[in-house]
Amino acid sequence: MGRVVASAPGKCILFGEHAVVYGQPAVAVAIEQRMIVEISTEDEISEWKLDGKEFDGSKHPHVQALRDRMWPKSVGATPLSVKIHGDIPAASGLGSSAALSVAACAALRAARGRWIRKNGDFSVPEDWAEGYHSSIEDTNSYADSENIRDSARRSGQNGVGHLHIFGQDSIDVEECSIVGHSIEAVAQGGRASPMDATTCAYGGIILLSDKLEPGVDWTGTRNLSTPNGDVSWEIHSVSAKSPDDLFLVIGHTGDYSSTAQQVKYVAELLEKDPLRMKEIEAIGHVARRGVDALLKGDYTAVGHAMKENQVLLSLLGVSSEKLDRLVEAANPSSLGAKLTGAGGGGCMIALTRNPKETSEAIELAGGRTWISKFNNKGLTLDAISDLPIWFPPGN
Ligand code: MEV
């Protein structure tokens, strides 16, 4: 039986959510909690299964979008059984859907493999005969399911006489991050930053900016045509020496909220009153101060920026009473606390050197907590057997 298991971490945002959708800088950190995706072929299944039940694409739009892109029935891809588990709560601002998309993208790629140019190098996207990567110009990964170009399943391009690779060699972190972002963009009505998908794919600490930042590793540019115009992000990986005694405490309000709705709420607010774009820019200024502090290793200033960011997010109207209560409870024992993700419910985070004290304070205020360190790994391929599961048409 062909089988692949891949996993990716969730994320929390130190500064800049919502404003990052409009191109402002933001920083996110991969957390210890992960989503695990297992795909396999089971004898005699004629249709896709998800967690043992018949797969319903309308209930699982992320999996449906991936299936359309990576596993098209129209060119003979066989039905799969998919199992999803992990310890990231859904609809809570911790990037569960991005982690799912990134891990599932890697699993499907490992299972189908990739055609590359004869004598090509699998790590050089220009040698690929199929796939999504920011350095391949003719890839339209941001189209919705019906309008995907054939780039993902093209054959015969980039040279004649292909070589087929599969498993770990066929996985490309940048591809998973791009596909993850494109699926978030579709799910969020065209307005989504690459923050979640990039952090879940690469792990560690990710900085998005409107310009190239010195002192950090640049990993690429992402462009997206949104209903508000074209937005472009420069993506960087930050290797800040985060001290061993620093922790993130995540506090869940117990309420769930839809990122798509929260993003829509902000878009409508800005449409009604374009002057409120000043608030988005103010979040950008605070995020920039936070980035400078992070790069200097000044965590007291990082905490201050988080606090200021929370005030601005509240003004924008994306916090909630419960989030405010948990943030207030965390403040005395931490360097800074704020909501994370889209807000309106879901989670807050506190940056702290006293994880036990901060966690108890949040729980006393009614939150459920998790503690996470920094420097968590990104996407991993965790198990494979009998690959490729489907051998896509090549020449
Ligand atoms: C969601 O985790 C973060 C938002 O900024 C949306 C996005 O960046 O696409 C609210």
Side-chain angles (χ1 to χ4, degrees):
M1 177 179 80
R3 180 172 170 265
V4 183
V5 183
S7 65
K11 64 92 218 331
C12 59
I13 299 181
L14 289 186
F15 342 92
E17 49 271 272
H18 286 292
V20 69
V21 174
Y22 300 88
Q24 298 291 336
V27 175
V29 179
I31 56 175
E32 286 174 37
Q33 290 69 26
R34 299 179 77 80
M35 287 304 268
I36 301 151
V37 176
E38 176 177 350
I39 59 171
S40 64
T41 44
E42 281 180 6
D43 290 342
E44 293 175 34
I45 58 166
S46 53
E47 289 302 329
W48 273 51
K49 276 192 182 171
L50 183 68
D51 292 330
K53 300 200 189 99
E54 201 175 305
F55 172 71
D56 177 353
S58 64
K59 288 196 186 132
H60 302 278
H62 290 79
V63 179
Q64 177 69 48
L66 270 164
R67 178 177 143 165
D68 294 340
R69 283 168 167 74
M70 309 283 296
W71 208 262
K73 197 176 174 182
S74 56
V75 282
T78 48
L80 289 176
S81 166
V82 182
K83 292 191 178 109
I84 299 168
H85 46 111
D87 48 4
I88 312 173
S92 303
L94 299 179
S96 62
S97 56
L100 162 66
S101 302
V102 163
C105 177
L108 292 171
R109 177 58 75 194
R112 66 171 278 176
R114 187 191 314 280
W115 286 100
I116 65 171
R117 182 155 62 181
K118 190 178 178 188
N119 300 325
D121 177 347
F122 62 78
S123 65
V124 177
E126 285 73 13
D127 281 355
W128 297 355
E130 52 170 330
Y132 301 106
H133 193 288
S134 56
S135 71
I136 299 179
E137 299 262 307
D138 68 349
T139 290
N140 182 7
S141 53
Y142 292 99
D144 59 31
S145 301
E146 268 133 50
N147 296 312
I148 308 170
R149 291 217 338 231
D150 260 358
S151 314
R153 40 188 182 259
R154 70 192 179 202
S155 56
Q157 277 183 272
N158 292 352
V160 258
H162 293 352
L163 176 66
H164 187 255
I165 53 167
F166 54 87
Q168 182 73 60
D169 286 350
S170 60
I171 294 179
D172 180 79
V173 178
E174 177 77 349
E175 177 182 52
C176 297
S177 150
I178 288 179
V179 171
H181 177 214
S182 72
I183 290 168
E184 301 266 286
V186 175
Q188 291 174 207
R191 295 181 184 91
S193 80
M195 187 86 255
D196 290 20
T198 310
T199 312
C200 299
Y202 283 92
I205 304 176
I206 296 294
L207 158 61
L208 257 61
S209 181
D210 48 351
K211 61 182 177 70
L212 291 181
E213 300 286 343
V216 283
D217 294 333
W218 176 75
T219 62
T221 306
R222 292 276 200 293
N223 301 304
L224 182 68
S225 293
T226 77
N228 306 85
D230 294 346
V231 188
S232 170
W233 297 269
E234 301 300 343
I235 301 181
H236 310 78
S237 169
V238 182
S239 40
K241 315 155 245 7
S242 40
D244 287 344
D245 65 340
L246 256 194
F247 296 85
L248 287 165
V249 177
I250 300 161
H252 201 306
T253 55
D255 296 336
Y256 295 87
S257 90
S258 142
T259 300
Q261 270 170 27
Q262 289 288 104
V263 168
K264 188 164 171 244
Y265 160 80
V266 173
E268 285 172 359
L269 206 70
L270 296 172
E271 228 162 78
K272 261 189 246 143
D273 185 359
L275 279 181
R276 295 198 72 169
M277 192 50 102
K278 290 264 172 256
E279 290 172 43
I280 296 290
E281 287 161 11
I283 293 176
H285 290 310
V286 168
R288 170 134 319 275
R289 270 211 301 284
V291 169
D292 293 344
L294 187 72
L295 295 180
K296 280 192 206 132
D298 181 350
Y299 288 96
T300 307
V302 170
H304 276 304
M306 289 170 71
K307 284 183 189 170
E308 283 180 69
N309 196 163
Q310 173 63 18
V311 172
L312 292 168
L313 288 166
S314 278
L315 275 177
L316 196 62
V318 294
S319 194
S320 73
E321 254 177 56
K322 275 197 204 167
L323 279 168
D324 290 345
R325 194 177 339 126
L326 301 192
V327 166
E328 229 171 82
N331 269 334
S333 62
S334 63
L335 298 168
K338 61 180 273 297
L339 68 82
T340 178
C347 292
M348 48 73 67
I349 49 162
L351 180 70
T352 180
R353 293 202 161 92
N354 312 298
K356 192 165 174 290
E357 202 182 330
T358 305
S359 157
E360 279 168 6
I362 295 172
E363 297 225 342
L364 267 178
R368 178 177 166 213
T369 59
W370 293 263
I371 296 175
S372 176
K373 286 191 170 182
F374 281 76
N375 297 330
N376 294 296
K377 59 184 185 218
L379 168 67
T380 53
L381 180 63
D382 303 326
I384 51 171
S385 56
D386 293 337
L387 299 187
I389 288 179
W390 166 52
F391 200 72
N395 287 304

